[in-house]
Amino acid sequence: MLYFNLQIIRHGEVLEGYVIGYESRKQSSHRGTSGSTDAPIVEFEYDGERLQIPSQMSSAWHGFKVGDEVTFYFDPADKSEVILDSFYHKYGFGIFFALCGILQFIILWFTGKKEKPQKKGAA
């Protein structure tokens, strides 16, 4: 996800638009719990066409109000989503999963190390 975001940030266009609402996305966990998160929908004009595209990131926390002007990254080749110009939307989720992976590696590294048994007769 972080790589995908960085590609759009690096090669996409920086545009401005307005948050016109939120798209609700149902979430469920492996424990059977469910809930919903919301992705801001950005309206903007591109190449003479008025577009309304949801952010790829959704959360329970609304960082933007309807009517807020926002800067975002947009890939004209893939008009399915936008990446809002905020730390959380650009890097937050990717960094979170990267840190979880690093932490898991560290835990497995230290719990997997066992003391080597000494050979009989060795001093």
Side-chain angles (χ1 to χ4, degrees):
M1 179 178 265
L2 186 58
Y3 175 78
F4 171 77
N5 285 2
L6 291 175
Q7 290 300 93
I8 290 179
I9 291 166
R10 186 172 178 197
H11 301 291
E13 296 187 36
V14 180
L15 301 173
E16 291 190 3
Y18 294 92
V19 174
I20 60 164
Y22 284 87
E23 176 183 272
S24 185
R25 297 180 180 164
K26 196 152 190 84
Q27 306 288 326
S28 59
S29 73
H30 65 280
R31 290 182 257 156
T33 59
S34 65
S36 66
T37 58
D38 298 316
I41 300 170
V42 178
E43 182 176 77
F44 60 101
E45 194 165 313
Y46 184 79
D47 209 17
E49 183 180 2
R50 183 156 298 282
L51 301 171
Q52 296 178 353
I53 301 177
S55 169
Q56 62 139 352
M57 291 290 296
S58 63
S59 70
W61 171 74
H62 293 169
F64 302 96
K65 296 178 188 157
V66 172
D68 281 354
E69 186 173 4
V70 291
T71 302
F72 59 93
Y73 296 89
F74 175 68
D75 179 4
D78 177 15
K79 296 181 179 179
S80 64
E81 56 193 11
V82 296
I83 298 173
L84 297 178
D85 188 22
S86 74
F87 183 83
Y88 171 74
H89 284 87
K90 291 190 298 189
Y91 313 113
F93 215 56
I95 289 174
F96 171 75
F97 280 114
L99 290 175
C100 286
I102 291 168
L103 181 61
Q104 183 179 14
F105 174 78
I106 291 170
I107 290 170
L108 291 174
W109 176 265
F110 285 110
T111 58
K113 285 194 167 246
K114 296 181 181 174
E115 215 174 284
K116 293 181 183 179
Q118 291 196 3
K119 295 181 182 177
K120 292 183 179 178

